[in-house]
């Protein structure tokens, strides 16, 4: 357009700058868009590039190392020897191979010669035959076509064949001849191949051996493998790497709809089997990125776990949490944002991931924190208020079975009334058919009644074992009038943790008047008597020795604070003297399970002598007399404590008690508590006791059937966050404002703790925290006595307690022996067997860690049970667990190892528990049950003499250490009596044992090297009695067989012969 | 999210492109640590080495030696016509304490020493260990002999070393073993003969000695320097002293043990 | 908790709310901009009407017009280049926006656990807010329909021939006024309320007040019949209440209708238009205006007088 002369701004003003700038911006934004497309939205690209670089570098460093290692191996004599052998073999075979190859070539040549002609002929014939088959039988066309086939068959082909001489000759062959020749050549060829293999076999085997040898000698991957890895990582495709699991049924969970998609390996390349083989581990240091906080490249730190949990089946996020599909940012992928419901577990809570599938385990391998959490949940009495599926639910079961008994009896009554009625109807029935029907009905009812009786009887049995299994965390408060000093009770309620810093009992938030009311109620509701018999004082010094040697310290600890020694499974005894009465302690130490009065769950009261008198019975109740004199049902005849009976004599019990009462602070004194007998406090006290759920952990008169007052926590970890009551701290938590223990917010701010973890952590530190700023307290939960580590453990446990995010079939509920192990752990942990015994290799018992059992004193430890299942006969073990004294009369002793100070106590397990334990040990050492006692070859007279000779020879001082039943000797004995062997041991194990005990129980007093391997038999390594010359059988086997048929007489005879071990033997 | 919001807000003003940095973190590269190479041990100039000699005293009344009853092993009992006493505390007339291990605890720095070729010996004569205390260097082999006509088993129960427990019949070949880690001192016992007890001390260096019947000991060839000497006794525990050795200097030290009150 | 600026920032910075934040500034700006132009044009119109000769040649709606300026300017290049520039800038803005703010995805829907507050997309928040003042049937169905119908009806009830193709205020006061009231106050305003004011439990939170999920609010909302004694008109039965509500509503209709009528005939110019209209047009217009007015009235009744419904029947409530 014409340029107008004008000062019109619209025309004059130039927009070029504006347009230039904005277009420039446009270009820039395009560039940015690109960058965002490639890296911003796909951070994994960056990670993969960096990983490849670091990894290749690492591999390059490794290759030379491995090459040198390989060279070393190749120069080793064994390798050289193999090599030589191989070469020799090859040389030997060479000439024959050459011939074979020559022949093969010839055959091939001949085949080549005829193949053209043959294929043509065959083709023709087949085609024509097909035509024939198309035509109807007997038709003229068919006949003519058959003629064509004949011609084709007869047709001659000229073949130029190489003759042996090497010159070429012509042949005229028809189809038949050709095919014959072809077939024969084929056969020839096959035969030649076979020959070749046969001839070269030796050489090839040897080279295989060579490779094998190399592999087993070389630690880690060989240079070749490394090179291929290097090549692979060099051209590693930059792409999303994902695991896709599609189990049958998927719900709203980490698996998402359409199965699990985990792309974690897109950044965590070290976890990708395809990139870093499972046989190889790569650490940050290896990759040279140990300083970087943003290099998720290492391989899995716990490869064993990956072996058990195949990534292709389990993926990553189900165990670790996080959003497996997200790849747009670390925050998103780890699910650490408000909209992802399964965020990545914090590192200290990782083991929560195990719990979802292993919720049925009491003890899970590789999950120490989780295990601790579970142990605490039981031992600290959380279970007393908060039900948890799978945890000790005997109370509920007992309730149920008793309910059932009531119903059945009701039904029985009705039936009994119904029967005569029916008979009556039948008697005057209109016709016989009706009468028969009615009679039949009556008869059936009568039978049903007897059936009901049977059922009730069974239920009672069940109730018995259940009430044996049902334990309370806290002591039986019905007994406190006999047990405690009155003044101490209120003090304890108010100052629980001051008095005993390591106690399991939580500290309740009680006002003084509440304390008084509760104390008064508990005191007055307790059993008035009969008062315990007075006990003469015992010898405290001896008592102390007993306490320290009998094994009490496996559960209890002595000494306050830092210098406390012993286990934390049970109470610290350092101040018991201030609270307990001597008489009660004596009874308790003598038999902790002893009750003052039995409790009848049907009459809901404690029976007294009068009840028994009414039926003319003595006031005797124990596990053998556990039926109610009034209604004949099971009573509670034991105290609900896990503490076992150590079978101490009453004197010893007095000594121990006398020592314990001395354990007190010199200045200990408690204010008089007149209110304890104030009847007006009863009602209030009762209400409070119910309100605070004291009966969850204690047996309290009138509260025997009290249920658990807390919320069930089985799936607490997956409870929606909105359902947790953060109270006035909701907003504070959302903003991650740090709060003090009492809940008052500080100025500091961190990441939001408005999540399950945050709730658990704060709640466990101070259960009242969410009452912050509330006008009146609403929370009852007392303050648990836990350390920071305990809190982590419990949090981990609760976080993992979720509606499983796996499909059900992923849950760990094994059907094989592993189930026995799973069940066994519940009992083992319940009774703290690991306090005294080592059960798992590498899992020391409490005693093992105590100072008095170090170095040479290890010999005084109870036996390790790591191979118990393989060692003992299950039938025997059953008996032993029932009565570890192994004698009805003399119970104040150890049944097997009489020489040990530590004593296996009597737990009075229920039938079920014993069965489970036996199966547990069998399963732990993968023994098949039921156990079939193998038939041992009987000893010939000659062999018996030999065995005797060996047994008593100077060289084999078996009887010096092994107990013989001679009291004087047994005092210094350090091994069990041989007479036990037949009943107790398994022969196979025994043989393994005597040949190398250290392999089975490291550190045992039993020496190794008693036998030496000679050919395929064990031979005694000491100088042999002359009689052995010419004995060609296995010496170990001989001894075992002898041991298993040893009789007391035989043993006595031996003692006579054996040097030294005569009566007065031993250093005394 | 917030950062991004800022960005966008700024961009709406049309300038942010220059501000927003394309966030790609820099990796802090570093070389994979080579197997931590030991700094070369300071060589010892044999011309300047000194020595420490001295004695171990027992301050107090020596406990009455316990008699050992070998009745259960007549053969051995016969070997000691005069009877035997427990060698736990051996004090001579002049209150010299025997069987005390004196050794350099600190002061050698990172020097490494090669283990002596010849093996230490632990013999079993008349159901007693001879000597009662054996001191060796790490990796130095110990040969256990059995001169008795009975079977012993040798059962060291160390804290830091491998535990083993081998039986040795009369006339059986010697048992030879080594201890890889420093430890003072490993109790050795025979489960067959409960009274048999011995200790094996293992050191990383050759500067140790066991006080003889007269309580005297000598540590030779000590390079000049300041050392913490420690004396160890199976019953009375340990006591430390610091000595400074000049070139070619011979120091004398005396350790004194008191019976535990 | 007052003076909680972080809370305010959290609301403002949610990607969802970005357009609304922009709305807060852009809408007033463009209203002002449009008015500037409109008023300028009005002046020009005055000038041109006084000089018909000039009007024949002067085609530019720009005022004040200076000597030396062209009386007409070509679309190409003068308009198009500006539009081009605008296009570029908008593109840049959209690009940057789309890069920096991703689509705000949330957790998998869980029927057992609904979010709180549960808000509609920003452009529907106005409607959602209406649910506070009417029952779902009215607010969710009737009102939206009426809005659409009303918008469709405009061409048929607008009899004002002026103001085509140029900004003017004088010539279309009524149209502009109605639009501003309907769009700014009622539509945008409610969106803003729904976005920034309505917190958890759809409770009323002033800006910088913490959106506390545990907040407890005491408010009694009664229906008109519970406030006014009416039994002297009709018996206090279900029917009675229904009738009373009907009467009350009717009364409003009448009064509001009259007011609207007065408004339509306020000025001579308005009268002139009014006379051009058919009865149908008048009624439709009047009804739409009355209904439009009912919303603010209801808002006031609800928020100020705590009156829930004026007219309660088993089928609908107003």
């Amino acid at each position: 357009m014409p340029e107008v002369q004008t000062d019109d701004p619209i025309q004059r003003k130039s927009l070029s700058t504006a347009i230039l700038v904005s277009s420039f911006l446009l270009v820039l934004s395009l560039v940015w868009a690109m960058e965002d497309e490639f890296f911003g939205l796909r951070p994994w690209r960056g990670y993969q590039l960096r990983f490849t670089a670091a990894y290749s570098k690492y591999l390059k460093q490794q290759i030379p190392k491995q090459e040198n290692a390989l060279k070393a191996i190749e120069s080793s004599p064994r390798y050289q020897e193999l090599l030589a052998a191989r070469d020799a073999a090859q040389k030997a075979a060479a000439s024959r191979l050459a011939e074979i190859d020559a022949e093969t070539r010839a055959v091939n040549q001949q085949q080549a010669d005829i193949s053209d002609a043959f294929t043509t002929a065959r083709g023709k014939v087949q085609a024509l035959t097909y035509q024939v088959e198309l035509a109807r039988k007997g038709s003229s066309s068919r006949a003519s076509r058959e003629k064509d086939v004949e011609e084709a068959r007869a047709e001659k082909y000229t073949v130029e064949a190489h003759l042996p001489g090497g010159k070429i000759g012509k042949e005229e062959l028809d189809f038949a001849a050709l095919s014959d020749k072809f077939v024969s050549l084929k056969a020839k060829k096959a035969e030649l191949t076979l020959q070749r293999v046969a001839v070269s076999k030796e050489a090839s085997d040897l080279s295989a051996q060579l490779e094998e040898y190399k592999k087993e000698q070389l630690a880690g991957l060989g240079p070749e493998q490394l090179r291929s890895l290097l090549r692979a990582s060099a051209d590693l495709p930059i792409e999303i790497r994902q695991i896709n699991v599609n189990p049958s049924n998927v719900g709203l969970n980490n698996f998402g709809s359409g199965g699990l998609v985990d792309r974690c390996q897109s950044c965590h390349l070290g976890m990708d089997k395809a990139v870093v083989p499972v046989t190889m581990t790569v650490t940050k240091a290896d990759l040279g990125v140990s300083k970087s906080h943003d290099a998720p490249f290492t391989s899995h730190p716990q490869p064993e776990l990956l072996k058990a949990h195949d990534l292709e089946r389990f993926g990553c996020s189900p165990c670790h949490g996080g959003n497996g599909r997200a790849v747009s940012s670390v925050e998103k992928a780890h699910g650490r944002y408000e909209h992802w419901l399964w965020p990545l577990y914090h590192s200290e809570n990782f083991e929560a991931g195990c719990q979802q599938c292993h919720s049925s385990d009491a003890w899970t391998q590789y999950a120490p924190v989780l295990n601790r959490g579970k142990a605490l949940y039981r031992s600290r009495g959380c279970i007393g208020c908060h039900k948890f599926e799978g945890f000790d639910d005997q109370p509920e079961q007992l309730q149920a079975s008793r309910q059932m008994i009531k119903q059945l009896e009701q039904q029985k009554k009705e039936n009994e009334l119904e029967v005569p009625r029916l008979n009556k109807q039948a008697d005057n029935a209109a016709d016989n058919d009706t009468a028969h029907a009615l009679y039949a009905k009556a008869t059936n009812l009568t039978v049903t009644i007897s059936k009901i009786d049977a059922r009730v009887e069974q239920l009672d049995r069940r109730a018995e074992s259940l009430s044996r299994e049902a334990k309370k965390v806290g002591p039986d408060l019905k007994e406190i009038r006999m047990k405690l000093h009155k003044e101490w009770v209120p003090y304890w309620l108010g100052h629980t943790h001051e008095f005993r810093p390591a106690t399991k009992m939580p500290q309740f938030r009680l006002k003084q008047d509440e304390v008084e009311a509760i104390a008064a109620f508990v005191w007055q509701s307790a059993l008035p008597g009969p008062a315990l018999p007075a006990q003469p004082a015992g010898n405290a010094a001896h008592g102390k020795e007993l306490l320290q040697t009998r094994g009490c310290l496996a559960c209890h600890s002595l000494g306050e604070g830092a210098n406390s020694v012993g286990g934390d499974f049970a109470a610290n005894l350092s101040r018991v003297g201030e609270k307990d009465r001597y008489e009660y302690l004596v009874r308790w130490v003598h038999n902790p399970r002893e009750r003052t009065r039995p409790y009848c769950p049907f009459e809901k009261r404690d029976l007294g002598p009068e009840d028994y008198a009414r039926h003319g019975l003595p006031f005797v109740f124990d596990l053998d007399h556990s039926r109610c004199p009034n209604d004949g049902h099971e009573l509670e005849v034991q105290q609900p404590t896990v503490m076992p009976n150590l079978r101490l004599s009453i004197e010893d019990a007095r000594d121990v008690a006398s020592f314990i009462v001395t354990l007190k602070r010199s200045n200990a004194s408690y204010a008089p508590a007149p209110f304890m007998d104030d009847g007006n406090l009863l009602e209030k006290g009762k209400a409070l006791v119910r309100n605070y759920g004291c009966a969850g952990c204690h047996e309290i008169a009138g509260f025997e059937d009290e249920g658990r007052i807390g919320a069930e926590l089985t799936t607490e970890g997956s409870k929606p966050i909105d359902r947790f009551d953060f109270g006035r701290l909701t907003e504070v938590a959302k903003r991650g404002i740090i709060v003090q223990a009492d809940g008052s917010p500080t100025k500091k701010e961190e990441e939001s703790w408005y999540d399950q973890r945050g709730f658990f952590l704060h709640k466990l530190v101070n259960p009242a925290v969410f009452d912050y700023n509330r006008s009146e307290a609403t929370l009852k939960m007392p303050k648990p006595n836990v350390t920071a580590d305990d809190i982590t453990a419990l949090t981990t446990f609760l976080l993992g307690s979720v509606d499983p995010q796996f499909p059900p079939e992923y849950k760990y509920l094994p059907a094989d022996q592993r189930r026995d192990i799973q069940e066994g752990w519940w009992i083992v942990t319940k009774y703290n067997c690991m306090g005294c015994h080592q059960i798992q290799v590498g899992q020391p018992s409490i005693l093992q860690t105590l100072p008095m059992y170090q170095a040479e004193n290890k010999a005084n430890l109870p036996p390790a049970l790591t191979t118990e299942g393989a060692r003992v006969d299950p039938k025997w073990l059953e008996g032993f667990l029932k009565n570890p004294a192994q004698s009805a009369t003399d119970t104040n002793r150890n049944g097997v190892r009489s020489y040990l100070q530590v004593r296996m106590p009597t737990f009075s397990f229920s039938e079920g528990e014993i069965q489970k334990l036996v199966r547990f040990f069998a399963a732990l050492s993968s023994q098949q049950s039921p156990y079939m006692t193998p038939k041992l070859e009987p000893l010939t007279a000659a062999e018996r003499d030999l065995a005797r000779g060996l047994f008593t020879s100077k060289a084999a001082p078996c009887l010096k250490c092994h107990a013989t039943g001679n009291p004087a000797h047994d005092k210094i004995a350090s091994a069990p009596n041989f007479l036990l062997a037949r009943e107790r041991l398994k022969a196979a194990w025994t043989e393994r044992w005597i040949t190398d005990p250290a392999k089975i129980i490291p550190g045992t007093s039993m020496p190794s090297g008693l036998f030496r391997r000679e050919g395929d038999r064990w031979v005694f390594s000491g100088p042999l009695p002359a009689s052995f010359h010419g004995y060609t059988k296995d010496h170990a086997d001989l001894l075992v067989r002898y041991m298993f048929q040893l009789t007391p007489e035989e043993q006595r005879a031996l003692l006579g012969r054996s040097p030294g071990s005569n009566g007065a033997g031993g250093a005394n | 999210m917030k950062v991004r919001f800022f960005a966008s807000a700024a961009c709406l003003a049309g300038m942010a492109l220059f501000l927003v940095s394309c966030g790609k973190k820099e990796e802090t590269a570093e070389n994979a640590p080579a197997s931590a190479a030991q700094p070369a041990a300071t060589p010892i100039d044999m011309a300047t080495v000194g020595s420490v000699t001295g004695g171990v005293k027992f301050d107090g009344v020596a406990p009455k030696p316990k008699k050992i009853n070998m009745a259960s092993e007549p053969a051995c009992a016969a070997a000691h016509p005069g009877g035997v006493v427990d060698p736990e505390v051996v004090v001579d007339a002049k209150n010299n304490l025997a069987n005390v291990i004196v050794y350099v605890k600190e002061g050698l720095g990172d020097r490494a020493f090669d283990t002596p070729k010849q093996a230490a010996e632990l013999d079993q004569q008349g159901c007693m260990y001879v000597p009662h205390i054996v001191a060796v260097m790490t990796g130095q082999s110990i040969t256990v002999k059995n001169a008795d006509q009975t079977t012993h088993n040798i059962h060291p129960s160390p804290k830091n070393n491998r535990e083993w427990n081998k039986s040795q019949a009369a006339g059986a070949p010697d048992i030879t073993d080594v201890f890889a880690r420093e430890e003072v001192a490993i109790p050795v016992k025979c489960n067959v003969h409960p009274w048999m007890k011995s200790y094996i001390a293992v050191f990383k260096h050759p500067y140790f000695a066991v006080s003889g019947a007269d309580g005297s000991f000598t540590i030779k060839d000590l390079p000049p320097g300041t050392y913490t000497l420690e004396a160890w006794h199976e019953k009375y525990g340990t006591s430390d002293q610091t000595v400074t050795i000049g070139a070619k200097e011979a120091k004398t030290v005396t350790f004194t043990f008191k019976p535990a009150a | 908790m007052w003076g909680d600026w972080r809370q305010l920032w959290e609301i403002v910075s949610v990607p969802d709310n970005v357009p609304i934040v922009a709305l807060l500034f852009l809408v007033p700006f463009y209203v002002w901009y449009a008015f500037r132009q409109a008023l300028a044009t009005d002046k020009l119109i005055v000038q041109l009407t006084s000089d018909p000769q000039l009007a024949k040649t002067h085609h530019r709606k720009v005022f004040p017009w200076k000597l030396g300026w062209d009386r007409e300017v070509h679309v190409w290049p003068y308009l198009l280049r500006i539009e081009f520039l605008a296009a570029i800038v908008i593109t840049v803005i959209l690009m940057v926006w789309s890069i920096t703010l991703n689509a705000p995805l949330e957790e998998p829907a869980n029927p057992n656990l609904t979010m709180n507050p549960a808000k509609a997309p920003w452009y529907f928040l106005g409607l959602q807010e209406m649910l506070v003042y009417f029952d779902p049937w009215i607010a969710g169905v009737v009102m939206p329909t009426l809005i659409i119908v009303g918008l469709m009806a405009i061409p048929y009830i607008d009899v004002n021939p002026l103001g085509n193709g140029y900004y003017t205020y004088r010539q279309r006061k009524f149209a502009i006024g109605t639009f501003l009231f309907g769009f700014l106050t009622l539509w945008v305003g409610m969106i803003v309320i729904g976005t920034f004011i309505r917190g958890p439990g759809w409770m009323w939170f002033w800006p910088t007040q913490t959106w506390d999920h545990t907040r407890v609010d005491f408010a009694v909302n009664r229906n008109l019949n519970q406030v006014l004694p009416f039994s002297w008109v009709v018996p206090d039965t279900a029917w009675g209440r229904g009738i009373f509500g009907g009467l009350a509503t009717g009364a409003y209709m009448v009064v509001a209708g009259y007011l609207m009528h007065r408004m339509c005939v306020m000025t001579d110019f308005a009268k002139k238009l009014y006379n051009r209209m058919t009865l149908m047009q008048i009624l439709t217009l009047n009804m739409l205006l009355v209904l439009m007015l009912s919303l603010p009235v209801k808002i006031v009744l609800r928020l100020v007088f705590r009156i829930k419904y004026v007219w309660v029947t088993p089928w609908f409530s107003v």
Side-chain angles (χ1 to χ4, degrees), chain A residues 489-687:
Chain A
V489 178
Y491 176 79
W492 169 251
L493 279 172
H495 309 77
T496 316
H497 294 172
E498 289 95 286
F499 180 82
R500 192 182 277 167
T503 183
K504 295 180 192 171
M505 169 139 167
Q507 174 69 65
F508 288 82
R509 294 182 296 283
L510 301 173
K511 300 183 203 61
Q512 184 53 29
D513 62 321
E514 292 181 311
V515 169
E516 294 178 2
I518 294 176
F521 170 75
V522 174
W523 185 260
Q524 292 171 46
S525 65
L527 290 173
L532 292 172
Q535 301 279 356
N539 169 353
H542 182 234
K544 180 175 187 183
E545 187 202 334
L546 287 170
L547 192 70
Q548 283 172 336
T549 53
R550 283 288 183 268
C552 309
L553 294 183
C555 300
H556 293 281
S557 52
L558 284 171
E560 291 188 49
N563 49 20
S564 97
V565 177
D568 61 356
F569 183 77
N572 173 306
L573 302 178
S574 46
R575 289 178 74 180
V576 175
E578 297 174 29
K579 58 188 266 275
D580 281 8
R581 297 178 182 281
Y582 174 63
E583 294 73 20
Y584 188 84
L585 271 175
V586 174
R587 190 188 90 181
W588 179 266
V589 174
H590 185 242
N591 174 10
R593 305 283 178 91
E594 189 172 336
R595 271 178 92 100
T596 312
R597 286 165 173 241
Y599 172 73
C600 175
F602 289 85
E603 300 175 45
K604 303 217 176 306
R605 63 188 185 85
D606 301 281
L607 302 183
E610 62 280 6
D611 296 278
Y612 283 74
R614 203 177 306 128
H615 300 269
L617 295 166
F619 187 49
V620 176
F621 56 93
D622 54 34
L623 291 172
D624 308 327
H625 310 78
S626 59
R627 292 300 173 100
C628 173
N630 299 334
D631 56 29
H633 289 310
E634 277 302 323
L635 295 168
E636 309 234 338
V637 292
Q638 279 196 320
Q639 295 234 25
T641 174
V642 289
M643 170 142 173
N645 179 349
L646 279 116
R647 302 191 305 277
L648 295 175
S649 70
I650 187 69
E651 295 76 17
D652 288 351
R654 287 198 196 103
D655 295 352
V656 174
S658 319
F659 169 65
I660 295 179
V661 283
T662 63
L663 298 172
K664 56 168 74 173
R665 290 192 179 163
S666 47
N667 56 356
S669 76
Y670 298 101
F675 52 81
M676 294 290 277
D677 300 309
D678 177 356
N680 308 332
L681 291 175
L682 270 177
E683 277 319 306
K684 185 178 176 192
K686 188 165 191 174

Side-chain angles (χ1 to χ4, degrees), chain A residues 412-465:
Chain A
K412 183 178 169 186
K413 220 183 261 100
E414 287 162 9
N415 293 359
E416 277 163 347
L417 295 175
E418 185 66 10
V419 170
R421 231 181 269 125
L422 284 169
N423 287 330
K424 207 161 175 39
Q425 287 182 25
D427 296 345
N428 36 37
D431 56 73
N432 287 338
D433 295 354
T434 357
H436 291 153
L438 287 166
Y439 284 130
K441 204 165 170 202
T443 341
N444 294 347
L445 270 184
T446 4
V447 178
T448 327
I449 291 172
S450 70
K451 280 203 153 117
I452 291 179
D453 291 337
R455 200 128 169 253
V456 172
E457 188 268 339
Q458 281 305 305
L459 283 166
D460 269 320
R461 286 284 309 284
R462 177 155 174 63
E464 184 198 3
S465 56

Side-chain angles (χ1 to χ4, degrees), chain A residues 787-940:
Chain A
T787 66
D789 290 354
D790 297 344
I791 289 178
T792 315
L794 282 164
T795 310
T796 306
F797 169 55
L798 288 175
L799 279 177
S801 306
V802 292
D803 292 328
Q805 300 175 11
F806 281 99
E809 67 265 24
Y810 278 69
K811 207 152 172 48
Y812 183 68
L813 295 167
D816 51 9
Q817 282 197 318
R818 289 174 302 169
R819 188 171 121 269
D820 301 337
I821 296 178
Q822 198 177 26
E823 286 178 340
W825 275 116
W826 283 99
I827 297 155
V828 169
T829 46
K830 177 179 181 182
Y831 294 101
N832 192 30
C833 307
M834 321 81 70
C836 296
H837 299 284
Q838 180 178 13
I839 288 174
Q840 285 259 331
V841 183
Q843 194 190 17
S845 68
I846 302 292
L847 291 186
Q848 271 174 305
T849 62
L850 296 186
M852 55 278 263
Y853 291 103
Q854 296 313 314
E856 66 262 49
N857 299 333
K858 282 184 198 147
N860 307 338
L861 279 168
L865 302 184
T866 40
T867 62
E868 188 68 0
R871 164 160 62 182
V872 300
D873 182 328
K875 289 182 242 32
W876 175 86
L877 182 56
E878 213 177 304
F880 178 74
L881 289 173
K882 279 207 189 80
N883 173 12
Q886 293 282 283
S887 145
T889 52
D890 166 21
T891 58
N892 184 4
R893 68 199 266 276
N894 269 325
V896 176
R897 292 177 166 74
S898 45
Y899 50 88
L900 278 186
Q901 294 288 303
V902 187
R903 175 171 294 177
M904 171 73 177
T906 309
F907 287 87
S908 39
F909 294 114
S910 77
E911 279 300 326
E913 285 176 327
I914 290 182
Q915 292 304 333
K916 282 181 183 170
L917 279 175
V918 172
R919 287 209 309 274
F920 169 72
F921 285 115
L924 266 192
S925 28
S926 47
Q927 299 290 301
Q928 282 318 313
S929 51
Y931 171 66
M932 304 292 175
T933 325
K935 186 96 190 64
L936 289 181
E937 186 186 336
L939 289 169
T940 65

